[in-house]
Amino acid sequence: MVLTNNKNVLSWVDEMVSLVTPDRVVWIDGSEEQLDALRAEAVANGEIIKLNQEKLPGCYYHRTALNDVARVENRTFICTPTKEEAGPTNNWMAPSEAYAMASDIFRGSMKGRTMYVIPFSMGAIGSPFAKVGIELTDSIYVVLNMNIMTRIGKAVLDMLGDSNDFVRGLHSKCEMDEEKRYILQFPQDNTIWSCNSGYGGNVLLGKKCFALRIASYQGWKQGWMAEHMLILGIEKPDGDITYIAGAFPSACGKTNLAMLIPPQHYLDKGYKVWCVGDDIAWLRINEDGGLSAVNPEAGFFGVAPGTNDNSNPNALASTRKDTIFTNVVYNPEDGTVWWEGLDKNPPKNAFDWKGNPWNPASGEKGAHPNSRFTSPAINCPCISEKWEDPAGVPLSAIVFGGRRAKTAPLVYQSRDWQHGVFVGSIMASETTAAAAGAVGVVRRDPMAMLPFCGYNMGDYWAHWLDMGKKLTNPPLIFNVNWFRLNENGKFIWPGFGDNFRVLEWILKRCEGKVDAVETAIGYLPKAEDIDLEDLDYTIEGDQKFNLETLKEILTVERDYWLEDAKGIKELYAKFGNHLPKELADELNKLEENLNNMN
Ligand code: OXD
Ligand code: MN
C-alpha cells in the first residue's frame, strides 16, 4: 500500500522503479506485524538465521558476501559539479557522469526482486534537528537494520507532509560485483546511490552517507554542523550533568568512551556517565549562544571483536536482545554467537563468519575483525534520559583524539575556539599492527571526518571558524591521546574506564575549578590535578603507573611536534585558497612556539 500523497515522493519512486524494474514494491509502514513477516521471509530465504530466542530474544544472525565486509573509501565519491567543491581529500565524479555510469549498473537490477520503500527520520520525529530520508532497497537485511538504526515508517511520511525536503537514497545489491561497487553522494541533489554492496556502512544510507556526508553539506549551507562524534553526559554526585562530544577516527574506542563506567571510587561518590550517542552528532546554536547536540541515530552499529564484560559491559548488554549480528561466529548447537575477545570459551562446533566449520584451536579468526552488532540504543543500560530530547543537549566541551604513540600528550586544551579548530584539523592516527599495511604510518584525519566530509574540507574548516564567531558561549575544545607507547611498545595509560580521570579534569576546566600550564601547543594539566586515586595499573613487569609516569605523558616533545608540523603543512598545501588564513596563522604560531621552547 502506498503510504503518502506527496507528489515529490511518488514521482521519484516511480522514476526509480522504472530504472530498476522490481517485480513488487512494498512500502515499509514500521509496524511490528510487517517487520515480523519480513523477518520470517528472510529466515526462510537464508538471508538471516534466527538465534536462540530464550538466550537472545529478538536476535538474528547474518553473513555478508566474502568480498563485502567494510566501507569502501576508494569507491566512495562526492558528486559535485566541480572537483573543487569536493576538495582534495574526496574522490570526485561529475554528477552527469556518475548518474549515467550508475544508471547502467542499476538498470533492471531489481528484476525478480521486491523493492522496499523505507521512509526514515534521522533525529527524533518532531525534533527541529530531524531530517527525513527515503531509502529504496532490495534487501530485507537493510530494512531490518534501518529499523534499528533510524526511526522508520508511516509517521515519518506524516512528518514530511507535502515537502520536497527529503534525502533520496537508492540501494541495490545488484550482483555484488566489487568492480561495480559504488557509493555515490550528490550533495546538491540530496541524493545517494549505493550499488553492489550489502555491508552496513555502505548500505544503511541514513548513517555515514546521509547523517555525515550529505548532512555536513546541508549544515554548511544552513548554519549547523554534522560531525563524527559521540555524545556523553557526566553526572556529578549533586545530580548536575555536563555534556561532552568527542571525535575520534574509526578504531580509537569511540563506542567504549561513549558508554564508559568510571572507576569504583567515583561510582561510590555518585558519579555516572550517560550515553547520548556513539558515532554521530548534529550540532546547532542554542538560545544561550552555545552548541546543542542530538544523536540522529536510534541504534549502535558497533564492532563486535573486543567487546566484553570488562571492555564495555554496556555495549555487551545492549546486544542481548533485538540485535542483528553480522559476520561473527555462529554456534548452531545452542543458537548463539561468539567473537574474539568476548570470553575465553569459544564454541567447539561452530561456524566462522565465512560459514565454514571452525576450530578455535586452528589460530584462524572465527569472527571477521570488522564484524558488527546492530542494537537499539534503548537497550543500553547507561542510555541518557535526554537521548531523544528534541532540543538536544548543551555541550560544555568538544574532545578530539587520535592514536599517537609519541606525539600528543594525554590531554591538552586549546587556547580558544580558533585554536581548537586548528587542533581538530591536525588530528591524526597511526596505523596499528591489527590493520593491513605498514605499522606506525600517520594518517591525518581532520575532525575524524576525512572519509565523511561531503564537501571541500577547507570550506568545512571555514564553516567551523564561522560557527565559532556566532557562538557567545562556545564549548571548550580539548585533545586527548589514550595511546602513548613506551620504548617497548606497551601502552603507558590504562585507558577504558580510567579515561574518566581525564574527563574529570576536562569537567573541572569547564567549571573553572582547576588551572593549567600554558605550553607551545596549548594548556596542559599539572600532573597533580589528574586524580590517580586507587589507580592500579602495571605497564609491564613491575612498572606500576604513578605520578612520574603521568608526568611523562604530559610533556610536549618538541622534535616530534616539529616533525608533525611538516605533515600538517603537506596536508594544508593541498587546499590552496580554500585553506582558511586563520589555520595557516595557527600553524605558524605553533612552529614559532616550538622553536622558542627551551
Ligand atoms: C564506523 C566507522 O563504522 O567510523 O562507525 O568506520
Ligand atoms: Mn564511525
Side-chain angles (χ1 to χ4, degrees):
M1 199 176 54
V2 177
L3 297 178
T4 178
N5 296 319
N6 182 320
K7 297 214 168 50
N8 306 295
V9 173
L10 295 177
S11 65
W12 168 70
V13 172
D14 278 351
E15 195 190 328
M16 294 302 105
V17 164
S18 54
L19 176 65
V20 298
T21 59
D23 284 11
R24 278 170 307 277
V25 176
V26 171
W27 289 69
I28 299 298
D29 60 20
S31 66
E32 264 315 299
E33 200 184 348
Q34 187 187 42
L35 289 165
D36 258 343
L38 288 172
R39 289 180 191 114
E41 188 179 333
V43 168
N45 72 22
E47 209 175 327
I48 56 176
I49 293 174
K50 195 171 192 164
L51 295 171
N52 183 325
Q53 296 298 296
E54 255 148 54
K55 292 188 173 163
L56 294 167
C59 293
Y60 292 83
Y61 174 69
H62 172 80
R63 290 190 187 101
T64 64
L66 298 188
N67 73 6
D68 188 32
V69 293
R71 286 186 291 105
V72 280
E73 289 179 15
N74 59 340
R75 310 200 65 92
T76 299
F77 291 78
I78 300 299
C79 307
T80 43
T82 63
K83 182 166 169 45
E84 193 176 347
E85 287 163 275
T89 54
N90 279 314
N91 297 315
W92 172 80
M93 222 187 276
S96 54
E97 188 195 332
Y99 282 128
M101 184 247 346
S103 291
D104 284 345
I105 298 173
F106 274 111
R107 194 163 292 114
S109 66
M110 295 195 194
K111 215 179 216 84
R113 302 182 187 174
T114 301
M115 174 199 268
Y116 301 96
V117 181
I118 318 171
F120 65 95
S121 173
M122 301 312 293
I125 292 178
S127 158
F129 287 75
K131 295 256 171 204
V132 170
I134 299 182
E135 176 163 357
L136 311 178
T137 179
D138 52 8
S139 159
I140 298 181
Y141 172 75
V142 168
V143 176
L144 299 178
N145 274 273
M146 286 294 282
N147 174 49
I148 298 172
M149 294 305 296
T150 73
R151 289 94 178 159
I152 65 169
K154 171 97 172 57
V156 176
L157 291 171
D158 294 345
M159 173 168 84
L160 183 66
D162 290 333
S163 167
N164 193 24
D165 184 13
F166 66 97
V167 168
R168 293 144 162 81
L170 174 65
H171 164 249
S172 173
K173 293 182 282 189
C174 299
E175 307 308 321
M176 291 296 204
D177 180 349
E178 271 176 291
E179 302 299 318
K180 292 186 182 160
R181 185 168 296 153
Y182 289 99
I183 319 299
L184 308 171
Q185 279 76 196
F186 303 84
Q188 279 97 340
D189 300 347
N190 266 349
T191 294
I192 304 159
W193 282 15
S194 161
C195 50
N196 279 295
S197 174
Y199 168 76
N202 300 327
V203 302
L204 306 179
L205 300 186
K207 194 174 180 63
K208 304 296 191 183
C209 304
F210 177 175
L212 288 175
R213 297 194 190 101
I214 298 284
S216 62
Y217 177 85
Q218 293 179 335
W220 176 40
K221 295 293 167 184
Q222 299 165 7
W224 54 283
M225 302 160 93
E227 299 298 331
H228 190 200
M229 289 178 179
L230 63 89
I231 311 163
L232 60 80
I234 301 177
E235 180 171 339
K236 286 193 304 183
D238 63 7
D240 202 50
I241 304 182
T242 303
Y243 295 94
I244 295 179
F248 296 79
S250 308
C252 285
K254 213 145 119 250
T255 302
N256 290 346
L257 185 62
M259 301 177 190
L260 164 156
I261 298 182
Q264 190 60 44
H265 75 283
Y266 285 104
L267 295 175
D268 293 345
K269 284 182 201 145
Y271 284 92
K272 273 195 198 101
V273 169
W274 298 106
C275 173
V276 180
D278 80 327
D279 196 39
I280 298 176
W282 284 0
L283 313 176
R284 284 182 186 267
I285 299 176
N286 61 29
E287 288 169 350
D288 302 325
L291 272 181
S292 284
V294 297
N295 167 13
E297 302 190 279
F300 308 123
F301 184 60
V303 174
T307 304
N308 62 47
D309 234 341
N310 287 320
S311 66
N312 194 339
N314 286 315
L316 187 62
S318 306
T319 68
R320 298 298 91 181
K321 63 176 184 195
D322 301 329
T323 289
I324 300 173
F325 298 94
T326 301
N327 289 346
V328 297
V329 173
Y330 170 58
N331 179 3
E333 280 188 351
D334 68 349
T336 56
V337 289
W338 191 85
W339 50 78
E340 277 69 23
L342 172 64
D343 57 35
K344 297 210 159 61
N345 309 308
K348 296 261 155 36
N349 299 307
F351 290 87
D352 67 10
W353 71 274
K354 297 178 185 164
N356 297 323
W358 175 66
N359 174 4
S362 68
E364 297 270 318
K365 290 214 184 325
H368 188 277
N370 192 35
S371 54
R372 298 276 176 153
F373 54 82
T374 320
S375 300
I378 195 71
N379 283 0
C380 182
C382 67
I383 196 73
S384 161
E385 241 178 48
K386 292 208 182 255
W387 84 280
E388 296 199 278
D389 191 320
V393 295
L395 295 181
S396 297
I398 290 175
V399 179
F400 294 120
R403 185 183 278 275
R404 302 303 302 267
K406 301 278 181 215
T407 311
L410 179 63
V411 56
Y412 69 101
Q413 183 190 344
S414 71
R415 287 183 295 270
D416 52 31
W417 181 270
Q418 174 176 311
H419 180 228
V421 176
F422 172 73
V423 169
S425 79
I426 69 169
M427 267 173 68
S429 233
E430 282 146 22
T431 49
T432 64
V439 176
V441 175
V442 178
R443 185 202 204 217
R444 303 230 80 94
D445 189 352
M447 280 84 169
M449 283 289 277
L450 186 73
F452 306 121
C453 185
Y455 60 109
N456 189 314
M457 201 138 215
D459 297 337
Y460 165 83
W461 291 328
H463 181 45
W464 264 82
L465 292 165
D466 276 352
M467 289 291 289
K469 289 185 193 123
K470 294 182 195 148
L471 294 169
T472 51
N473 185 18
L476 303 183
I477 299 181
F478 298 81
N479 189 271
V480 298
N481 176 24
W482 317 131
F483 301 99
R484 283 283 289 260
L485 300 180
N486 69 8
E487 52 292 345
N488 299 324
K490 297 280 191 291
F491 289 117
I492 300 176
W493 177 250
F496 298 103
D498 286 308
N499 292 337
F500 189 80
R501 300 172 189 274
V502 174
L503 294 184
E504 196 211 9
W505 182 78
I506 290 175
L507 192 66
K508 285 195 186 139
R509 288 295 290 168
C510 294
E511 295 173 335
K513 287 196 178 147
V514 67
D515 56 4
V517 188
E518 183 155 13
T519 72
I521 61 168
Y523 299 113
L524 260 74
K526 295 181 184 155
E528 299 73 22
D529 288 335
I530 303 252
D531 173 26
L532 296 184
E533 188 179 331
D534 287 348
L535 176 61
D536 184 17
Y537 175 62
T538 304
I539 302 172
E540 65 187 83
D542 56 2
Q543 194 192 344
K544 280 242 178 217
F545 191 96
N546 59 24
L547 192 64
E548 291 314 305
T549 346
L550 179 60
K551 283 181 183 163
E552 275 172 41
I553 53 175
L554 288 177
T555 51
V556 179
E557 313 284 339
R558 184 171 72 163
D559 293 346
Y560 287 115
W561 276 93
L562 281 170
E563 192 57 34
D564 216 42
K566 288 189 202 154
I568 301 167
K569 224 173 255 175
E570 265 169 45
L571 172 76
Y572 278 4
K574 294 183 188 161
F575 290 90
N577 60 12
H578 286 267
L579 179 74
K581 179 172 176 306
E582 291 91 330
L583 296 189
D585 290 347
E586 288 290 344
L587 177 56
N588 287 336
K589 188 144 128 201
L590 173 67
E591 283 187 303
E592 209 178 285
N593 288 350
L594 292 167
N595 285 322
N596 289 338
M597 269 173 77
N598 42 29

